[in-house]
Amino acid sequence: DTNGRITFENPAALAMLGWVGNGLGGRDVHEVVYGPGTSCRGAACPFAQTIRDGLMRRVPDDKFMRKDGTDLRVEYVCSPVTDELGGTTGIVISFSDVTEDRRARDKLSESLSVLRMAGRVARLGGWTIDLPGYKLTWSDENCAIHDVPPGYRPT
C-alpha cells in the first residue's frame, strides 16, 4: 500500500524469502526485504518513487534479505497499482532470484582479471576474430607488445 505495508504475497515470494508458513500481511516491506530496523531509503528508494510518481521502475541488481539473514540477489520491477482515477494506491514488486547468475558473473570477472594480469606479467598477448564481420580485436597486452595504444583494432 502507499504506507509501505504488505497487503498480499504469493507462495513463490514467501519461499524465496524464507517465510513459508508465515503471512507477511501488514508488515513493512522494507523490513521484510532489507532486514529488521530498515526503513525507506528516502528519495532514492524505488518503492517510494513508484508510489510518489506512479512510474514503473526496473532494478537490475539488489540484495534482499531472507528471513534467516542470508542475502538473496534479485532483480525486480516496481509497478504502480492505480485506482479508476489514475491515483497510485500501492505497488506490486515482482522479483527474481539472480544469486547464481551474479555469482557466475563475479567469478568470470575475477578470472578475466587474473588472466589479464598473467598476460601482462608473461608478456603474452591474445586476440579474437569475429569471422562474420572480419573484425580483429587485440588484448591490451598484445597492443603493448606491438607498441600501439590499448583498444587498437588492426585491419
Side-chain angles (χ1 to χ4, degrees), residues 32 67 69 79 92 109 117 138:
V32 169
K67 184 180 179 187
S79 303
V92 173
S109 177
M117 182 176 61
W138 281 4

mmCIF file of all heavy atoms in Angstrom, residues 32 67 69 79 92 109 117 138:
data_model
loop_
_atom_site.group_PDB
_atom_site.id
_atom_site.type_symbol
_atom_site.label_atom_id
_atom_site.label_comp_id
_atom_site.label_asym_id
_atom_site.label_seq_id
_atom_site.Cartn_x
_atom_site.Cartn_y
_atom_site.Cartn_z
ATOM 1 N N VAL A 32 10.932 -6.414 5.689
ATOM 2 C CA VAL A 32 10.890 -7.786 5.198
ATOM 3 C C VAL A 32 12.012 -8.042 4.201
ATOM 4 O O VAL A 32 12.725 -9.031 4.314
ATOM 5 C CB VAL A 32 9.513 -8.111 4.564
ATOM 6 C CG1 VAL A 32 9.552 -9.444 3.819
ATOM 7 C CG2 VAL A 32 8.434 -8.126 5.632
ATOM 8 N N LYS A 67 14.588 -14.465 5.541
ATOM 9 C CA LYS A 67 14.204 -14.474 6.953
ATOM 10 C C LYS A 67 15.369 -14.917 7.843
ATOM 11 O O LYS A 67 15.550 -14.402 8.949
ATOM 12 C CB LYS A 67 12.996 -15.383 7.173
ATOM 13 C CG LYS A 67 12.483 -15.380 8.591
ATOM 14 C CD LYS A 67 11.299 -16.299 8.747
ATOM 15 C CE LYS A 67 10.830 -16.296 10.192
ATOM 16 N NZ LYS A 67 9.795 -17.292 10.420
ATOM 17 N N GLY A 69 18.443 -14.289 7.432
ATOM 18 C CA GLY A 69 19.532 -13.316 7.411
ATOM 19 C C GLY A 69 20.483 -13.444 6.243
ATOM 20 O O GLY A 69 21.375 -12.613 6.084
ATOM 21 N N SER A 79 5.853 -1.876 -9.920
ATOM 22 C CA SER A 79 4.778 -1.393 -10.785
ATOM 23 C C SER A 79 3.710 -0.732 -9.927
ATOM 24 O O SER A 79 3.336 -1.268 -8.884
ATOM 25 C CB SER A 79 4.143 -2.554 -11.554
ATOM 26 O OG SER A 79 5.107 -3.248 -12.297
ATOM 27 N N VAL A 92 3.228 -3.126 -6.833
ATOM 28 C CA VAL A 92 3.494 -4.557 -6.922
ATOM 29 C C VAL A 92 4.991 -4.691 -7.161
ATOM 30 O O VAL A 92 5.541 -4.031 -8.043
ATOM 31 C CB VAL A 92 2.710 -5.216 -8.080
ATOM 32 C CG1 VAL A 92 3.144 -6.666 -8.258
ATOM 33 C CG2 VAL A 92 1.220 -5.120 -7.842
ATOM 34 N N SER A 109 34.381 -12.472 -14.008
ATOM 35 C CA SER A 109 35.110 -11.202 -13.953
ATOM 36 C C SER A 109 36.441 -11.378 -13.230
ATOM 37 O O SER A 109 37.475 -10.856 -13.666
ATOM 38 C CB SER A 109 34.256 -10.152 -13.243
ATOM 39 O OG SER A 109 34.947 -8.957 -13.119
ATOM 40 N N MET A 117 46.177 -10.061 -15.825
ATOM 41 C CA MET A 117 47.392 -9.857 -15.041
ATOM 42 C C MET A 117 48.472 -10.851 -15.479
ATOM 43 O O MET A 117 49.630 -10.471 -15.660
ATOM 44 C CB MET A 117 47.088 -10.038 -13.546
ATOM 45 C CG MET A 117 48.294 -9.802 -12.651
ATOM 46 S SD MET A 117 47.923 -9.908 -10.886
ATOM 47 C CE MET A 117 47.359 -11.584 -10.750
ATOM 48 N N TRP A 138 42.457 -6.989 -30.404
ATOM 49 C CA TRP A 138 43.653 -7.359 -29.664
ATOM 50 C C TRP A 138 43.452 -7.104 -28.177
ATOM 51 O O TRP A 138 42.792 -6.145 -27.784
ATOM 52 C CB TRP A 138 44.845 -6.530 -30.125
ATOM 53 C CG TRP A 138 45.476 -6.971 -31.413
ATOM 54 C CD1 TRP A 138 45.055 -7.971 -32.233
ATOM 55 C CD2 TRP A 138 46.632 -6.409 -32.014
ATOM 56 N NE1 TRP A 138 45.881 -8.070 -33.306
ATOM 57 C CE2 TRP A 138 46.862 -7.130 -33.211
ATOM 58 C CE3 TRP A 138 47.492 -5.382 -31.667
ATOM 59 C CZ2 TRP A 138 47.927 -6.849 -34.049
ATOM 60 C CZ3 TRP A 138 48.558 -5.109 -32.505
ATOM 61 C CH2 TRP A 138 48.772 -5.832 -33.679
#
